[in-house]
Amino acid sequence: MAEFKAPNTDAEFEQNFAQIKPLMTDNQAYFESSRCLFCYDAPCVNACPTGIDIPLFIKQIHSKNTLGAAQTIYNSNVFGYACGKVCPTEVLCEGACVYNHQDVPAIEIGRLQTFATDKAIRSNKTLFQLAPSNGRKAAVIGAGPAGIAFACEMRIAGFDVEIFEAKEKPSGLTVYGVAPYKITNKEALDEMDYLQKQFGFTVHYSHPVTTERDIQHLESEFEVIFLGIGLGRTSELGIPGEDKDGVQGAVEFVETLRMGHHQISVPKKVIVLGGGNTAMDAASESARMGAEHVILAYRRSKEDMGAYEFEYDLAKGVGVQGLFNAAPVEITGNGKVTGVKFIRTHVVNGKVETIAGSEFTEEADWVIKATGQAKRTDFLSLISGLERDSKGCIKVNPDTFQTTNPKYYAAGDAVSGGQEVVNAVANGKKAAKAVMNYK
Amino acid sequence: MANLFTNFAGIKSPNPFWLASAPPTNSGYQIMKAFDTGWGGAVWKTLGVPVVNVSSRYGSVNYRDTRMMGFNNIELITDRPLADNLREIEEVKKRFPDHAVIASLMVESRAEWHQIVKDAENAGSDGIELNFGCPHGMCERGMGSAVGQEPKILKMIVEWVMEVATIPVIVKLTPNISDITRPALAAKEGGANAVSLINTIQSIVGVDIDNFVPYPIVDGKSTNGGYCGPAVKPIALNMTKNVAQHPGVQLPISGIGGVETWRDAVEFMLLGASNVQVCTAVMHYGFGIIREMKRGLEDYMDQKGFATIDEMVGKALPNVMHWEDLNLKYKVVADINEDKCIGCQLCYTACEDGAHQAIGLSSDPLNRTPFIIEENCVGCNLCSLVCPVENCITMKRKDDQTQHLTWKERTAANNVPTTFNDPLAGGLHHWVPEPMDAFKTKTPKHYKG
């Protein structure tokens, strides 16, 4: 293994984390856009949670109305640039492209989308007309995809919007949680700047909303409150040894990687626990940071993994080794991690069962847990009348995204339990539309 | 094994692929290179009193990712001294005695025509082509298409040429005229040995929409040019057919206009051309494209059992009728191959908005394969033409193949609509939705902003 040397400089980091969907050149965009068939009731549009009129924007790129193309994209999705880069397009728009039925490569919709929106961002052109202020005020908790999408839509209608963000930067997981080879920090933040300038919402950074007093204050100041709070820290596994030095959550690992990769030195042997997309990311990232031996361990079979196939392929492509039907029972070591003790599993009637006497240990210097994030139940319980479902997700009306407390609307991972950026954007926007229709 | 050798009105060449009189035949250097690559003949860039050209000279129509689907130029005839051209003709003929070198000529007075015809012959040309086609610049000076558009003048100049010519004379016709057979007849009457067509079509290929000036731009201004390239082939094929079918003309035809592959050449030949001339394709891809053309033509002839080019010339002409002679009883309807369909639904929207509302969509959103509503289908072909999948939509014959009735026969039998609301109107047998149904038809939600 060790395809990647541990990066010591920004240039080496960027090389190890080269963008998998790099920006297209004008020529690439011209030729790629020429291939679109302009389908009727195009399946790509229907596959997009935000319903972007994809054939239209591709035709606009081809007729060299690139800012018009960006307008088409942003009309449906204010995270147009970010989604072009981080969306799992293989299973959304590009997966729906009719060319797939003809064994012809699907149109690279994601890259065309970033091509057009990049031109708009760099032109600094104002694309949106905001209604005059209607004197009504909305608060948003969390400057992630759901919150920003909600804010933009509310600003168009003339609401004053203030966003309260616990962290220092906007865009939520786009900048803190997505793998660095999907989008760079600068790309994510440039789009946020562009939106902020156009839509004129206020963001209070490093301003967590945590206490009952905070909530009372917001409720008295604002007519509507939107919860775009996402999820909390990585959940506990509940196995012995979890407190050892070198055990960490995937979400926390990615965040450190994105905010300060210089502070991270990934050791030789890493075991990633989990079978979702975050596990794939964490495994890929460990390898790209110079780990020599990365094991991706999942308690069920390969086929049962929640991760998209292309995400697993991406991890395999950088040398990650899969270990399936193996459940962790203990993290071993003396203060510091030395390995993970697994037990073999099989599935009986849909339930995972361990096989007695099949324990074995894999050596590790680090263990990354990608086994789900906790819900922010402590905070949510401070809001009166706000119901949660059995998994701890906020209950909403599926059409309006209004919560059981009518003053509150919510969308994003806090509602879905963990979906794509594009779903959060789509639902944040729907919530805003519903506020305007609410009598 | 097919023999590509051709004898065109007495001009012999190893194959029927000639370079048309144009920039690729500007010099002996280029023609030597072309013959060495495999071209059978070349019509020299038009000789006459040398001109002064402008910069820039060419414009292009690009379609999607295809460059130069159409092409135009505002370049004039040769800008090189006659003596240089004649010396190079001699040199080429010495090196390539079996290849055809044709001198294209354009001058004004009878004396000039006599002199230049003799000069071209003395240099060793195998034939002469009279340029009566150039639709820009030269026509303003009373030459080129100005001659080609006046059959009387055309005939007179051909007669001048025939007074002295001892080698075959081809008249190159302009398409910038409503009936191409009139100048063709005039050429015949003047004594010409052959015709070639088409020359370029008067055109503007596009406009610089920022500076409000058409292409090509000469110091902020422009002028109309001559249009050629793949886009003009349908016009050239039709004119070739018109000349070939005219009983009064009966001259060998050299087909010109958008020839790029062997298929294009075969099409011209099936409609009556004995050889073809090529320019734009060479300006785009160089002389090397002859490799594809020669091999393709040979393979086609072998496959069809044609030993010589002459055996295939005009083979499609008996199948080109007047509209009134077509069988009104013939009936085809579209058929969609569900296994091949990729669900783009272009056929649906094309038929729905651009034809006869004869294609429907499934009410199941997961089933994207459209279906043909046979009783509405008029057999227009549109769906099969827009379908991006080869052989997915085909037209299936539905009549019993026993009846034959033409418009001409119906007219003779007094069985045609003659009044505005005649019950014999063809459309009365075809269902048309009510206007207000337009608002009941479901359209994609993203169609209206």
Side-chain angles (χ1 to χ4, degrees):
Chain A
M1 210 171 126
E3 181 184 342
F4 295 94
K5 262 181 58 189
N8 289 317
T9 63
D10 278 343
E12 284 173 5
F13 181 81
E14 277 164 28
Q15 202 182 340
N16 285 10
F17 287 86
Q19 295 298 298
I20 54 173
K21 288 184 186 170
L23 262 184
M24 280 183 167
T25 64
D26 287 5
N27 214 33
Q28 281 176 306
Y30 179 76
F31 281 99
E32 188 63 9
S33 61
S34 79
R35 298 174 55 228
C36 176
L37 292 171
F38 206 76
C39 294
Y40 179 77
D41 199 7
C44 52
V45 180
N46 295 318
C48 174
T50 59
I52 297 172
D53 191 341
I54 294 164
L56 175 62
F57 91 68
I58 293 179
K59 197 107 189 151
Q60 288 173 309
I61 289 175
H62 197 68
S63 67
K64 298 196 159 55
N65 180 11
T66 315
L67 292 180
Q71 174 95 62
T72 301
I73 295 160
Y74 280 127
N75 280 348
S76 296
N77 180 342
V78 288
F79 273 58
Y81 184 95
C83 282
K85 295 212 81 173
V86 311
C87 262
T89 53
E90 292 85 344
V91 296
L92 295 175
C93 52
E94 293 173 20
C97 179
V98 297
Y99 273 137
N100 292 306
H101 303 302
Q102 212 179 2
D103 294 331
V104 170
I107 305 282
E108 291 194 66
I109 299 167
R111 290 183 70 202
L112 285 168
Q113 185 169 311
T114 46
F115 171 82
T117 45
D118 172 67
K119 299 269 189 209
I121 292 166
R122 285 196 282 129
S123 77
N124 224 352
K125 189 180 150 79
T126 302
L127 296 178
F128 286 92
Q129 287 273 318
L130 309 184
S133 172
N134 61 11
R136 297 166 70 183
K137 289 172 75 182
V140 175
I141 306 177
I148 299 273
F150 176 87
C152 291
E153 202 62 29
M154 297 296 277
R155 288 292 297 144
I156 290 175
F159 280 76
D160 286 337
V161 180
E162 288 186 44
I163 306 179
F164 299 88
E165 169 56 50
K167 293 189 168 25
E168 291 166 12
K169 295 182 174 75
S171 84
L173 290 179
T174 316
V175 76
Y176 287 105
V178 170
Y181 42 79
K182 290 183 182 163
I183 190 167
T184 66
N185 293 0
K186 182 172 187 312
E187 287 174 317
L189 297 175
D190 281 355
E191 184 168 53
M192 292 305 107
D193 267 359
Y194 180 61
L195 295 182
Q196 209 277 327
K197 273 184 207 148
Q198 281 194 62
F199 288 98
F201 44 75
T202 309
V203 192
H204 306 283
Y205 292 110
S206 308
H207 194 128
V209 178
T210 48
T211 64
E212 215 160 352
R213 253 190 78 193
D214 292 341
I215 289 169
Q216 280 164 3
H217 170 75
L218 290 184
E219 287 180 353
S220 64
E221 288 284 313
F222 297 92
E223 177 187 335
V224 181
I225 300 169
F226 180 82
L227 300 170
I229 58 173
L231 298 170
R233 299 181 58 81
T234 301
S235 321
E236 297 292 310
L237 285 173
I239 58 173
E242 221 174 326
D243 54 345
K244 295 204 190 305
D245 194 12
V247 180
Q248 60 202 296
V251 179
E252 292 76 17
F253 167 63
V254 178
E255 183 171 333
T256 320
L257 185 69
R258 294 214 56 145
M259 291 306 121
H261 59 84
H262 289 121
Q263 297 152 22
I264 298 187
S265 169
V266 176
K268 280 185 183 171
K269 292 179 186 164
V270 178
I271 291 178
V272 178
L273 302 174
N277 291 318
T278 307
M280 305 301 132
D281 279 352
S284 270
E285 287 157 354
S286 299
R288 287 169 199 266
M289 286 301 286
E292 287 176 16
H293 194 68
V294 181
I295 291 176
L296 179 79
Y298 182 51
R299 61 200 189 99
R300 288 170 176 259
S301 73
K302 189 169 85 178
E303 292 69 33
D304 290 332
M305 285 199 300
Y308 299 122
E309 206 177 325
F310 68 88
E311 295 281 16
Y312 180 53
D313 289 344
L314 211 57
K316 274 195 303 189
V318 292
V320 171
Q321 189 194 326
L323 172 63
F324 300 103
N325 296 307
V329 287
E330 185 188 345
I331 294 170
T332 58
N334 270 328
K336 227 180 139 321
V337 173
T338 58
V340 178
K341 190 167 163 195
F342 291 98
I343 184 161
R344 287 284 175 195
T345 66
H346 60 171
V347 177
V348 179
N349 297 329
K351 277 191 76 179
V352 181
E353 287 186 8
T354 55
I355 302 170
S358 67
E359 290 91 345
F360 62 99
T361 302
E362 289 283 346
E363 286 181 17
D365 307 312
W366 259 21
V367 174
I368 300 176
K369 300 179 290 181
T371 44
Q373 287 171 264
K375 311 296 183 300
R376 302 186 54 194
T377 44
D378 288 354
F379 169 70
L380 292 173
S381 61
L382 298 177
I383 300 168
S384 70
L386 191 87
E387 290 177 24
R388 282 168 276 131
D389 67 14
S390 57
K391 290 176 180 168
C393 298
I394 305 171
K395 266 192 189 172
V396 294
N397 175 320
D399 299 318
T400 63
F401 293 86
Q402 191 174 30
T403 69
T404 49
N405 177 333
K407 195 179 180 72
Y408 286 84
Y409 288 73
D413 286 353
V415 172
S416 66
Q419 269 186 316
E420 304 298 336
V421 170
V422 68
N423 301 103
V425 174
N427 296 340
K429 182 173 176 169
K430 279 182 200 155
K433 296 259 192 210
V435 170
M436 284 166 277
N437 292 329
Y438 184 66
K439 303 274 182 321
Chain B
M1 181 72 187
N3 182 359
L4 296 190
F5 174 84
T6 51
N7 182 343
F8 180 82
I11 306 169
K12 299 181 177 72
S13 62
N15 64 55
F17 298 106
W18 292 3
L19 293 169
S21 172
T25 60
N26 188 51
S27 65
Y29 168 82
Q30 288 162 291
I31 293 175
M32 290 268 202
K33 213 172 150 188
F35 286 172
D36 192 44
T37 315
W39 290 85
V43 185
W44 211 276
K45 171 104 176 161
T46 304
L47 310 176
V49 176
V51 298
V52 177
N53 271 309
V54 291
S55 159
S56 60
R57 302 178 194 178
Y58 307 138
S60 165
V61 175
N62 303 330
Y63 183 72
R64 286 180 165 252
D65 57 347
T66 303
R67 299 261 152 186
M68 276 170 62
M69 179 210 73
F71 185 71
N72 93 344
N73 82 91
I74 57 168
E75 192 175 285
L76 305 180
I77 65 171
T78 188
D79 56 5
R80 305 176 63 212
L82 182 61
D84 290 356
N85 281 310
L86 294 173
R87 192 182 63 244
E88 291 180 10
I89 289 175
E90 223 177 310
E91 213 177 316
V92 169
K93 275 308 295 182
K94 216 173 276 173
R95 179 71 177 76
F96 291 97
D98 298 331
H99 286 62
V101 173
I102 291 88
S104 171
L105 306 176
M106 187 199 287
V107 288
E108 286 190 84
S109 69
R110 186 178 178 211
E112 282 175 325
W113 277 108
H114 281 181
Q115 184 59 51
I116 203 163
V117 166
K118 285 179 196 158
D119 286 345
E121 287 194 16
N122 290 337
S125 307
D126 299 292
I128 286 166
E129 186 178 82
L130 310 184
N131 180 346
F132 295 156
C134 183
H136 49 87
M138 303 311 290
C139 53
E140 295 169 13
R141 306 173 197 177
M143 295 183 275
S145 62
V147 174
Q149 287 164 338
E150 293 292 341
K152 276 184 197 158
I153 297 171
L154 183 150
K155 184 184 160 196
M156 180 182 76
I157 295 177
V158 173
E159 284 168 351
W160 293 348
V161 169
M162 298 316 291
E163 286 164 7
V164 295
T166 63
I167 54 175
V169 173
I170 308 163
V171 173
K172 186 166 180 176
L173 302 177
T174 178
N176 298 297
I177 187 163
S178 51
D179 180 0
I180 192 80
T181 63
R182 292 184 58 225
L185 271 172
K188 168 88 168 185
E189 288 162 15
N193 304 105
V195 289
S196 55
L197 65 149
I198 56 173
N199 205 311
T200 56
I201 302 167
Q202 218 169 49
S203 63
I204 284 178
V205 285
V207 179
D208 175 340
I209 60 171
D210 294 317
N211 299 301
F212 318 126
V213 53
Y215 299 109
I217 299 168
V218 180
D219 192 17
K221 307 289 177 198
S222 189
T223 186
N224 67 270
Y227 196 43
C228 56
V232 309
K233 189 182 80 172
I235 297 163
L237 287 175
N238 182 52
M239 290 187 164
T240 300
K241 175 270 293 180
N242 287 345
V243 172
Q245 280 189 333
H246 197 289
V249 181
Q250 301 302 310
L251 288 174
I253 299 168
S254 185
I256 312 170
V259 178
E260 182 175 303
T261 70
W262 68 271
R263 283 181 171 275
D264 303 321
V266 167
E267 288 173 353
F268 272 95
M269 288 167 180
L270 295 178
L271 288 171
S274 302
N275 76 3
V276 290
Q277 298 185 28
V278 180
C279 165
T280 312
V282 166
M283 293 184 72
H284 197 162
Y285 303 109
F287 295 127
I289 55 154
I290 189 64
R291 305 185 335 267
E292 185 274 345
M293 298 171 120
K294 266 168 50 180
R295 280 177 217 171
L297 181 59
E298 274 170 357
D299 292 346
Y300 172 78
M301 289 171 68
D302 286 344
Q303 194 195 332
K304 295 283 171 190
F306 298 128
T308 65
I309 302 285
D310 287 345
E311 288 176 26
M312 57 190 285
V313 172
K315 274 275 180 197
L317 288 174
N319 295 326
V320 192
M321 325 279 286
H322 287 124
W323 191 95
E324 63 176 9
D325 295 320
L326 299 175
N327 183 10
L328 296 169
K329 292 290 184 186
Y330 177 74
K331 168 83 177 156
V332 290
V333 299
D335 181 75
I336 299 174
N337 182 332
E338 289 180 14
D339 295 333
K340 290 190 174 176
C341 177
I342 59 172
C344 69
Q345 299 180 347
L346 285 176
C347 58
Y348 165 78
T349 197
C351 187
E352 174 71 14
D353 295 354
H356 294 89
Q357 301 82 44
I359 299 184
L361 295 178
S362 166
S363 53
D364 170 11
L366 293 177
N367 176 9
R368 288 192 51 91
T369 306
F371 59 89
I372 304 293
I373 304 162
E374 272 202 22
E375 56 271 31
N376 290 3
C377 178
V378 300
C380 73
N381 287 349
L382 179 63
C383 55
S384 70
L385 301 176
V386 300
C387 179
V389 182
E390 289 278 309
N391 302 317
C392 174
I393 301 183
T394 49
M395 306 304 291
K396 294 273 191 288
R397 189 158 183 179
K398 289 289 172 174
D399 64 294
D400 63 10
Q401 310 200 21
T402 59
Q403 297 183 75
H404 192 279
L405 182 64
T406 67
W407 177 258
K408 197 197 266 172
E409 288 160 352
R410 279 188 63 168
T411 308
N414 245 339
N415 182 28
V416 296
T418 51
T419 59
F420 289 137
N421 297 303
D422 204 305
L424 289 174
L428 284 176
H429 307 290
H430 182 263
W431 170 82
V432 175
E434 291 300 318
M436 292 305 281
D437 288 350
F439 306 107
K440 294 182 199 156
T441 307
K442 213 179 129 221
T443 50
K445 58 181 186 301
H446 56 277
Y447 268 36
K448 288 176 193 162

